[in-house]
Amino acid sequence: DAKTTQPTSMDCAEGRAANLPCNHSTISGNEYVYWYRQIHSQGPQYIIHGLKNNETNEMASLIITEDRKSSTLILPHATLRDTAVYYCIVNNAGNMLTFGGGTRLMVKP
Amino acid sequence: GAGVSQSPSNKVTEKGKDVELRCDPISGHTALYWYRQSLGQGLEFLIYFQGNSAPDKSGLPSDRFSAERTGGSVSTLTIQRTQQEDSAVYLCASSLMPASGNTIYFGEGSWLTVV
């Protein structure tokens, strides 16, 4: 699976959009981009995934660049409960996910 | 429907004892995964099942660790002769057949403390 690079930490003001970037420059054509988050040491929570097209669900939006070398997870109106570690993962075979260090998002009042 | 269920949610055991951790995957999910996470650390892949077979056992840290899955459903992770370094949260996840694009869902984990 391709490697991903994320900032170690980010801050966001409550009520504002949180934009979390991810670089995956070695992604191959059949690899999906997945986003998970983990609050404290609870089980990772699935957020969204996509292949080529931008995706939106009730939690977030995923914007994938045309060359697919990077993506951005957008939380449109961040709340304090969105404070978590966010993981960007590129996955092909689907037989497991390899978690990196993620981005620690701190939403501040 | 129900998510991935794990038990016990918390377990404190004495060093040298054996422990069993159970995972009930989402109904219909053929793929099942075990991870562990030590305090303040990242997620470490342990083992993966497709049906009842485990094509990838590469992550099991030692021969004290074993896992089985029966009936293509429930899985048990067994740690023999526990050591203090085994203290961690053990996370189970499941998905439909392991094809690209399928979502993997996690349980809330079993917290293991070895004293």
Side-chain angles (χ1 to χ4, degrees):
Chain A
D1 295 339
K3 180 179 170 57
T4 62
T5 304
Q6 299 178 254
T8 304
S9 63
M10 291 181 64
D11 290 345
C12 177
E14 187 179 19
R16 304 296 295 267
N19 297 281
L20 292 90
C22 180
N23 182 287
H24 32 79
S25 58
T26 61
I27 193 170
S28 61
N30 57 353
E31 290 182 312
Y32 282 72
V33 180
Y34 286 80
W35 283 84
Y36 283 77
R37 71 180 182 184
Q38 191 175 29
I39 298 171
H40 299 299
S41 284
Q42 296 178 15
Q45 179 187 22
Y46 166 78
I47 302 174
I48 199 167
H49 74 285
L51 182 63
K52 296 180 181 178
N53 299 322
N54 297 338
E55 301 288 344
T56 296
N57 62 21
E58 65 277 6
M59 290 183 68
S61 295
L62 174 61
I63 308 298
I64 303 174
T65 58
E66 190 170 345
D67 63 7
R68 302 210 322 123
K69 292 182 184 298
S70 65
S71 61
T72 301
L73 179 74
I74 301 172
L75 307 178
H77 306 286
T79 71
L80 298 179
R81 288 181 294 181
D82 292 323
T83 292
V85 178
Y86 287 77
Y87 296 98
C88 169
I89 302 163
V90 171
N91 182 258
N92 178 13
N95 58 349
M96 71 169 186
L97 298 173
T98 302
F99 287 78
T103 296
R104 187 171 298 276
L105 176 69
M106 179 71 72
V107 180
K108 298 184 174 181
Chain B
V4 177
S5 178
Q6 294 187 245
S7 62
S9 54
N10 285 284
K11 175 73 174 179
V12 180
T13 190
E14 292 181 352
K15 178 181 174 181
K17 300 283 190 182
D18 297 351
V19 296
E20 285 189 352
L21 307 176
R22 176 189 168 105
C23 174
D24 280 277
I26 293 172
S27 178
H29 280 192
T30 57
L32 186 147
Y33 317 80
W34 284 98
Y35 288 78
R36 77 173 175 181
Q37 187 173 32
S38 301
L39 192 62
Q41 303 299 310
L43 278 84
E44 175 188 4
F45 170 77
L46 297 179
I47 190 170
Y48 145 73
F49 286 92
Q50 171 56 23
N52 292 334
S53 65
D56 189 350
K57 301 180 182 179
S58 61
L60 292 176
S62 76
D63 59 7
R64 295 186 296 105
F65 287 73
S66 63
E68 65 175 14
R69 189 179 185 195
T70 56
S73 182
V74 172
S75 176
T76 302
L77 177 69
T78 301
I79 309 172
Q80 295 177 308
R81 306 181 302 282
T82 52
Q83 303 295 313
Q84 288 185 328
E85 61 264 28
D86 298 335
S87 296
V89 59
Y90 288 81
L91 293 157
C92 178
S94 72
S95 71
L96 293 171
M97 61 180 295
S100 189
N102 280 331
T103 300
I104 297 176
Y105 296 96
F106 284 81
E108 288 304 315
S110 290
W111 286 84
L112 174 66
T113 303
V114 181
V115 298

